Amino acid sequence: MFHPIVPARIVLTDDNTPYSPTYDDVYHTTSGGLGQARQVFLDGNRLPLRWIGRERFTIIETGFGLGLNFLATWDAWRSDPAHCAQLHFVSVEKHPFCADDLARLHAAWPELAPLAGELHRHWPALTPGVHRLHLDGGRVVLTLIFGDAVDALPQLHAAADAFFLDGFSPARNPDLWSPTVFAQLARLAASGATLATWSVSGNVRRGLETAGFALERRPGFGGKREMLTGHRADAPAADMIQPRRALVIGAGVAGTSVAERLAARRWQITVIDEADGPGQGASGNRAGVFRPLPSLDDNRLARITRAGFLYGRHHLARLAEAGHPVRWAPTGVLHLARDDKQAAKMQAVVDTHQYPTDYLRFADRDEASRLANWPVAQGGWWFPQGGWIQPPTLCAANLAAGGDRITPLFGRRLARLERRGDDWLALDESGAEIARAPVMVLANGVGIRAIPEAASLPVRPARGQVSHLPATPGSAPEVVVCRLGYVSPEVDGIRCAGATFIADDDGTELREAEHRENLTKLDFILPGFSAPFDPASLDGRVGFRPASPDRLPMVGAVPAVANAERTTPLADIPRQPGLFAATGFGARGLVWASLVGELLASQINGDPLPLERDLVDALDPARYLLKPPRPGAGSEE
């Protein structure tokens, strides 16, 4: 069930200690929040000693609050010349502060200003779910989960080396210190995991011991006599040394996104594509729509498109900051209702979910007409931060961001795969080796259908024809408008309108009938707009999108079997070693791609995942072995 995020608000006690009226408790001891963070949570987990020389170190925190524990940890990591290569900090917060309030509170610790400033610039929208931020050049990864920890922790996929237990007091917030939460901590604990908390409550001690933690009392911070530390009885596991080499088949938005995210983890990647450059297949359109797709029940499609859109925004900003800007424009996206009934549903979504208005709001017909600069028949959703993206430029930027860790091989056609020893070999039509690596990622769109090792994936080709309409700069609409189709603003003298979506049609020619269909959609979006255009003389582009039966991508390890019992857990389905897929994007490749790249790279590298477990399962390529695919590729509005 969807629970809107209710932000925290600034309230200070007489001595300027931040206070929560909701829980009738302070955010940190009056003796000083930063000192508490360092003594209780860093020293209590023997940090920075325990991350020295590690490839990756993961911390899970049960209450982000002001973020002081995170900032203190980040500061200690930066000050340690022997720190781990990558620091993962995962934190849950039911009532996050907005960025402006967080900045006002952090002003009390000027020594943390550079780090706090970077955090504020990347602070996510206050929407439910997982938000992943890449900080300090990507070496520090903050994964924020906005929602109730009781619900969020079971959805988390991670292995924690240390826990910071820092919710409001057990007396004020008992659910956060419950056996249910402690059992989740035990599930999430890596070998040799430690924990620390300021609480020495008897219920807390007994609950943690029952969950398998050995505990020790230590002197507390400030006026508190004692604090608590603990550890798992098993020995710490050494970092797994694995060959960091992968082949990625396909240089579209899927393949280049995976390649860039693996390269950011210091993998060496070879990208193979039969075209002469990136983004020439389904990713080759001039302008594609970039927006999420909400629903009243906040279903899986809505949750994943929201996560993909928000992560994609951060990814675009990171690429620009790194000197690899993508050609795109946050013009806003106006998604008009089909009729009065749908308009009422769209209004209900906004009223019920109470999204931040800079993420989504409802525009009535008059406002929608002003936004489109054209008379429209209905109001609808307005996504102020949405827009259009030129997909080939995203592909090129991803490859450039990988630097010398990505080697593209263009003009090379994959004919078949072969497993030889611990490596996957990519072979051409003559049987000659193109490249090899222990990990292979299939991100080659509809081309995946020709690969026997991926035969269990029900990918269907969907022909899509986009119509190119001559346009002058500054002409209406200057925002993206959707309504059973879409129309873009002018880009280089052309406006894109469409697109058709025809399953199992491999024709590559432009068709007048499909131009007519696109113009009919255009008139439904903007009445009368299509009048000047002759479908017989229009230019356009045809692409073939890999579609899935349930409209969700297929992301993860490729099954090694053709079928499974419906009661088999997904985790128990055998997988082909080192073989992964990123496909089935349909018409939503731009909203999926960046998040899918991060998800698959996290899976391959063994990092905490950037999505909830139920959504990861919803994307698992093996899901179709447990249920028959419904016929048809489905609508792709």
Side-chain angles (χ1 to χ4, degrees):
M1 180 182 295
F2 183 93
H3 297 287
I5 295 300
V6 179
R9 58 189 179 91
I10 294 179
V11 178
L12 301 177
T13 62
D14 292 340
D15 61 0
N16 285 324
T17 301
Y19 165 81
S20 169
T22 303
Y23 293 98
D24 188 23
D25 200 359
V26 291
Y27 278 91
H28 60 72
T29 175
T30 57
S31 300
L34 190 55
Q36 176 178 279
R38 288 168 173 162
Q39 179 175 324
V40 174
F41 297 105
L42 289 171
D43 293 350
N45 281 286
R46 305 197 308 279
L47 297 174
L49 177 66
R50 292 181 55 238
W51 66 40
I52 290 176
R54 294 280 300 273
E55 177 64 31
R56 172 182 58 236
F57 195 89
T58 301
I59 297 168
I60 293 179
E61 180 184 51
T62 54
F64 189 77
L66 308 182
L68 273 182
N69 294 337
F70 168 67
L71 291 173
T73 304
W74 185 5
D75 183 56
W77 179 88
R78 291 195 80 181
S79 302
D80 178 13
H83 60 58
C84 54
Q86 189 163 66
L87 175 66
H88 278 272
F89 196 102
V90 182
S91 189
V92 183
E93 181 54 57
K94 187 175 183 180
H95 299 290
F97 285 97
C98 68
D100 289 344
D101 286 347
L102 211 56
R104 289 173 57 195
L105 291 164
H106 287 162
W109 296 277
E111 63 269 44
L112 298 176
L115 305 185
E118 185 172 349
L119 175 63
H120 306 154
R121 289 192 299 274
H122 291 85
W123 192 247
L126 301 190
T127 59
V130 181
H131 302 265
R132 174 154 289 180
L133 310 181
H134 300 275
L135 306 170
D136 213 322
R139 300 177 302 165
V140 173
V141 182
L142 173 60
T143 303
L144 290 165
I145 308 170
F146 290 162
D148 194 320
V150 174
D151 301 322
L153 289 174
Q155 292 284 1
L156 181 59
H157 187 292
D161 300 296
F163 293 98
F164 293 2
L165 308 187
D166 193 25
F168 291 110
S169 74
R172 306 294 186 188
N173 189 18
D175 288 348
L176 201 56
W177 304 88
S178 65
T180 299
V181 167
F182 296 150
Q184 288 302 317
L185 301 184
R187 178 185 68 83
L188 292 165
S191 298
T194 62
L195 65 83
T197 178
W198 47 264
S199 177
V200 291
S201 158
N203 288 337
V204 170
R205 296 197 313 272
R206 287 187 291 273
L208 289 171
E209 287 172 340
T210 300
F213 292 94
L215 303 177
E216 176 187 352
R217 297 193 198 200
R218 294 186 185 180
F221 174 76
K224 197 163 178 59
R225 188 164 62 91
E226 292 181 314
M227 58 173 275
L228 200 65
T229 65
H231 68 276
R232 297 283 293 185
D234 49 3
D239 282 345
M240 295 292 292
I241 305 299
Q242 57 179 327
R244 293 169 168 264
R245 295 181 294 110
L247 303 182
V248 175
I249 310 301
V253 293
T256 61
S257 296
V258 175
E260 189 275 334
R261 290 288 76 216
L262 283 172
R265 290 161 167 83
R266 301 191 299 168
W267 282 61
Q268 292 296 136
I269 313 299
T270 301
V271 177
I272 300 171
D273 196 291
E274 61 184 273
D276 59 3
Q280 300 301 301
S283 301
N285 288 336
R286 287 173 175 260
V289 183
F290 181 56
R291 57 84 197 261
L293 190 64
S295 71
L296 189 59
D297 62 352
D298 203 37
N299 58 31
R300 296 177 307 175
L301 179 63
R303 291 165 62 199
I304 299 173
T305 56
R306 180 171 69 241
F309 173 76
L310 293 172
Y311 184 84
R313 287 271 316 188
H314 287 295
H315 183 63
L316 290 167
R318 285 200 315 275
L319 289 172
E321 289 171 4
H324 309 293
V326 175
R327 192 168 187 206
W328 82 290
T331 58
V333 175
L334 181 63
H335 185 146
L336 299 171
R338 294 189 295 270
D339 50 35
D340 290 342
K341 183 177 180 180
Q342 191 188 32
K345 289 182 178 179
M346 295 170 87
Q347 179 75 68
V349 167
V350 173
D351 293 344
T352 300
H353 292 194
Q354 301 174 40
Y355 293 115
T357 55
D358 60 353
Y359 170 75
L360 169 64
R361 60 183 176 83
F362 187 83
D364 64 22
R365 184 177 64 180
D366 289 342
E367 184 185 9
S369 296
R370 290 195 297 272
L371 290 168
N373 198 20
W374 193 273
V376 298
Q378 292 285 347
W381 286 326
W382 172 242
F383 300 96
Q385 297 182 2
W388 60 267
I389 297 175
Q390 195 167 81
T393 71
L394 174 58
C395 300
N398 281 332
L399 294 180
D404 59 8
R405 292 197 176 103
I406 297 179
T407 301
L409 298 178
F410 295 120
R412 303 298 299 274
R413 184 177 181 278
L414 173 74
R416 62 185 179 90
L417 306 182
E418 183 178 311
R419 182 75 175 173
R420 192 176 300 170
D422 292 331
D423 281 343
W424 283 100
L425 277 63
L427 306 176
D428 65 16
E429 291 174 327
S430 69
E433 178 181 319
I434 303 172
R436 67 169 69 197
V439 170
M440 169 82 75
V441 178
L442 302 176
N444 53 333
V446 297
I448 199 172
R449 291 161 50 89
I451 299 176
E453 288 82 357
S456 63
L457 308 187
V459 176
R460 300 184 68 188
R463 173 189 157 97
Q465 180 171 309
V466 176
S467 299
H468 292 167
L469 313 179
T472 57
S475 59
E478 294 185 89
V479 305
V480 179
V481 190
C482 307
R483 193 188 189 206
L484 288 181
Y486 77 92
V487 59
S488 78
E490 175 270 338
V491 181
D492 297 333
I494 295 294
R495 191 182 309 282
C496 296
T500 58
F501 193 90
I502 307 172
D504 301 322
D505 184 334
D506 59 4
T508 60
E509 73 284 0
L510 285 173
R511 297 170 182 168
E512 181 180 337
E514 290 184 52
H515 281 317
R516 290 186 184 279
E517 180 182 337
N518 287 337
L519 292 178
T520 299
K521 290 178 182 177
L522 180 57
D523 265 342
F524 188 61
I525 299 168
L526 303 174
F529 195 92
S530 71
F533 304 110
D534 177 8
S537 60
L538 286 178
D539 198 0
R541 186 178 188 278
V542 174
F544 297 89
R545 296 162 290 195
S548 68
D550 58 6
R551 299 195 298 161
L552 294 176
M554 307 174 201
V555 186
V558 175
V561 293
N563 53 66
E565 295 293 331
R566 292 194 184 186
T567 56
T568 304
L570 276 170
D572 292 344
I573 293 177
R575 309 299 173 119
Q576 300 188 59
L579 185 63
F580 298 85
T583 188
F585 284 23
R588 297 193 176 92
L590 290 174
V591 78
W592 305 129
S594 299
L595 178 63
V596 161
E598 176 65 13
L599 172 60
L600 194 52
S602 297
Q603 290 175 323
I604 292 170
N605 201 53
D607 297 332
L609 300 188
L611 270 178
E612 296 91 333
R613 293 170 74 192
D614 66 325
L615 298 184
V616 174
D617 287 349
L619 302 180
D620 192 321
R623 67 189 185 268
Y624 297 107
L625 303 184
L626 307 180
K627 59 183 179 182
R630 61 183 178 84
S635 169
E636 284 288 328
E637 180 192 354

